[in-house]
Amino acid sequence: MAVDQDNQDEISSIVKKRSDFEHKLNARGAQPVDFVRYAEYEMNLDVLRKKRVKRLGIRSAGFNGQRRIFFILDRATRKFHGDINLWVQYIEYARKQKAHKKLLMIFTDALRLHPTCAELWVYAAKHVLDDHGDMTQARSYMQRGLRFCKSARTIWIQYAKLELIYIAKVVARQKILGLDEESQKPKSIQEAEIDDADADMIALPSLTAEDINPSTGADGEVDQVALQNLNSTPALSGAIPLAIFDTATKHFNHDDRFGQEFFDMTWEFQDAPCLRKILEHVIETMRANKPSSPRTQICYIKFPTAGIPFTSAEFPRALGSSLARLREYPMGKDLARQVVNWLQPVQATEDLDPSLQKVIAATVRNAERAAQE
């Protein structure tokens, strides 16, 4: 009897709480936070319900908490369609629930209402690549986003980053399957030609489904011809990130800040087979247009160490080349700060050769002094 009374009290409490939330939402002064709190309450309630269902061994609880939460978030985004945070919360919930059809509808509505929000286009592209491995759709989102957000540096950087993530995934897949041993060096591919720097779309090298996912033969072996095609495809040669950079750097009048941001983003992909090719092209472009910029200089200085692990046998020689390049320039304040930012993480590396530690420490000290003068 006491258990029944407890259940009844709990149900009454839930009904009252929902009624209070509904009154707030229907009031004239309702705010986005009111919808958020209501949705969070229902999410917590749904988690509790699922735990009880599992504990009691009930197959069906006869209640769809997901539908109620979607209804609340849908009302929120309709009433406050200009609030990006509400859309993000709606999207994140749909992702967690793996409601793929619903998520597609949410993205469509959000992008229709906010076409100039670069972050939403990037968000949509990352979603389809991370959750579905659909690079074609990811590129489509980015291309459409550039039509509306051409002046946003972030969308150009993130577009190229998406392509490098894709390359990293393909390379990792090849290694897992043991296909990288026989792979050939990527063939020389003519870069995508951009006739008009202000065009709505970037002219990308053509790709096929076979390039992205080489088929297997009847005996389960991967077709070697398909593998060779994959290794020579523009996606792995770096042609697409290069086409993005060339178009963007022209659009931003060869801004050295954009050049360094692109360089630093690419630098993160140390295992990418096209790493040095992309970085070298970025440096050549920056040196041709902004040779005296400290941003250009630090990229040129760092380049010899690109793709080389700090603790490898090749790193001392590479670092020596970098330090030789550093001596080509006067150590101004801006360049000095750039040098410190570059070398401090290297200096903190575990198991770094003691002689390298001394050289790097001395260089950092000199740069710190120059930065303070």
Side-chain angles (χ1 to χ4, degrees):
M1 191 71 178
V3 174
D4 291 341
Q5 184 62 44
D6 289 342
N7 289 341
Q8 189 62 43
D9 291 344
E10 186 177 35
I11 292 171
S12 298
S13 175
I14 293 171
V15 170
K16 184 179 184 306
K17 195 73 174 176
R18 285 174 175 165
S19 178
D20 291 342
F21 277 123
E22 288 293 339
H23 282 305
K24 286 183 180 180
L25 300 193
N26 294 324
R28 182 174 296 180
Q31 298 296 319
V33 68
D34 297 322
F35 286 89
V36 171
R37 287 170 180 165
Y38 191 7
E40 289 177 346
Y41 172 77
E42 290 294 342
M43 290 176 192
N44 292 332
L45 196 63
D46 198 42
V47 170
L48 178 62
R49 179 186 65 83
K50 288 177 180 177
K51 286 182 178 179
R52 288 187 180 178
V53 166
K54 184 177 180 180
R55 187 178 74 248
L56 297 173
I58 302 173
R59 290 188 177 181
S60 176
F63 177 81
N64 195 337
Q66 182 190 91
R67 184 178 300 173
R68 181 183 291 274
I69 296 165
F70 276 138
F71 179 61
I72 296 168
L73 293 173
D74 186 61
R75 290 162 64 191
T77 51
R78 287 178 184 275
K79 186 176 180 65
F80 300 101
H81 53 78
D83 193 316
I84 297 295
N85 290 329
L86 281 178
W87 284 106
V88 171
Q89 182 159 352
Y90 199 2
I91 291 167
E92 277 301 304
Y93 179 72
R95 286 187 71 180
K96 289 178 182 178
Q97 300 300 309
K98 302 188 185 302
H100 302 306
K101 290 184 179 179
K102 183 72 173 178
L103 189 55
L104 180 60
M105 293 171 58
I106 299 169
F107 269 125
T108 300
D109 290 342
L111 292 170
R112 177 176 55 82
L113 291 167
H114 300 280
T116 58
C117 180
E119 290 76 13
L120 272 180
W121 290 105
V122 173
Y123 194 7
K126 285 184 175 180
H127 155 66
V128 294
L129 181 60
D130 293 344
D131 294 2
H132 303 286
D134 190 344
M135 191 61 198
T136 301
Q137 182 62 30
R139 287 192 183 110
S140 177
Y141 275 127
M142 286 299 196
Q143 291 270 321
R144 287 157 55 198
L146 286 175
R147 294 177 178 177
F148 298 100
C149 313
K150 189 174 291 185
S151 296
R153 289 206 304 261
T154 182
I155 196 167
W156 295 95
I157 297 291
Q158 291 300 320
Y159 189 0
K161 184 174 184 177
L162 203 72
E163 292 291 343
L164 288 167
I165 290 172
Y166 166 71
I167 291 172
K169 288 178 180 289
V170 173
V171 170
R173 178 177 180 273
Q174 287 181 311
K175 288 182 179 179
I176 290 172
L177 296 176
L179 303 177
D180 56 328
E181 297 176 2
E182 299 291 333
S183 62
Q184 298 179 350
K185 193 173 183 180
K187 299 175 184 177
S188 175
I189 297 177
Q190 179 144 7
E191 307 298 347
E193 293 293 333
I194 309 296
D195 296 327
D196 180 4
D198 293 324
D200 282 340
M201 303 286 278
I202 297 176
L204 298 181
S206 60
L207 293 173
T208 66
E210 187 67 18
D211 290 331
I212 297 171
N213 188 20
S215 60
T216 56
D219 58 355
E221 294 295 328
V222 173
D223 187 337
Q224 290 301 312
V225 174
L227 176 59
Q228 291 174 8
N229 291 338
L230 178 61
N231 288 326
S232 63
T233 185
L236 293 190
S237 73
I240 298 177
L242 286 171
I244 294 169
F245 173 77
D246 286 342
T247 308
T249 195
K250 290 175 185 176
H251 178 73
F252 293 115
N253 297 317
H254 299 287
D255 178 48
D256 57 323
R257 185 184 299 273
F258 173 79
Q260 186 181 24
E261 288 177 0
F262 197 98
F263 182 95
D264 289 343
M265 178 278 297
T266 307
W267 185 270
E268 297 174 7
F269 294 86
Q270 291 288 303
D271 294 330
C274 55
L275 172 72
R276 296 183 69 87
K277 177 181 179 181
I278 297 173
L279 294 180
E280 187 171 23
H281 179 75
V282 172
I283 293 168
E284 288 175 354
T285 304
M286 293 178 71
R287 295 188 78 198
N289 293 279
K290 299 290 177 66
S292 60
S293 166
R295 296 188 177 93
T296 300
Q297 293 167 359
I298 192 63
C299 292
Y300 172 70
I301 291 165
K302 288 171 61 175
F303 177 71
T305 63
I308 302 176
F310 299 155
T311 56
S312 69
E314 295 81 13
F315 186 73
R317 177 175 291 184
L319 181 62
S321 298
S322 288
L323 296 181
R325 291 186 174 195
L326 175 59
R327 290 191 287 271
E328 295 176 17
Y329 303 104
M331 185 73 83
K333 288 185 178 181
D334 291 337
L335 179 58
R337 294 190 190 100
Q338 298 273 7
V339 170
V340 171
N341 291 337
W342 165 46
L343 288 179
Q344 278 184 338
V346 182
Q347 187 179 11
T349 304
E350 293 184 6
D351 300 325
L352 193 65
D353 186 273
S355 59
L356 282 181
Q357 285 276 13
K358 292 180 181 179
V359 172
I360 293 172
T363 306
V364 169
R365 282 196 301 272
N366 292 336
E368 287 175 338
R369 281 196 295 268
Q372 293 172 358
E373 292 178 356

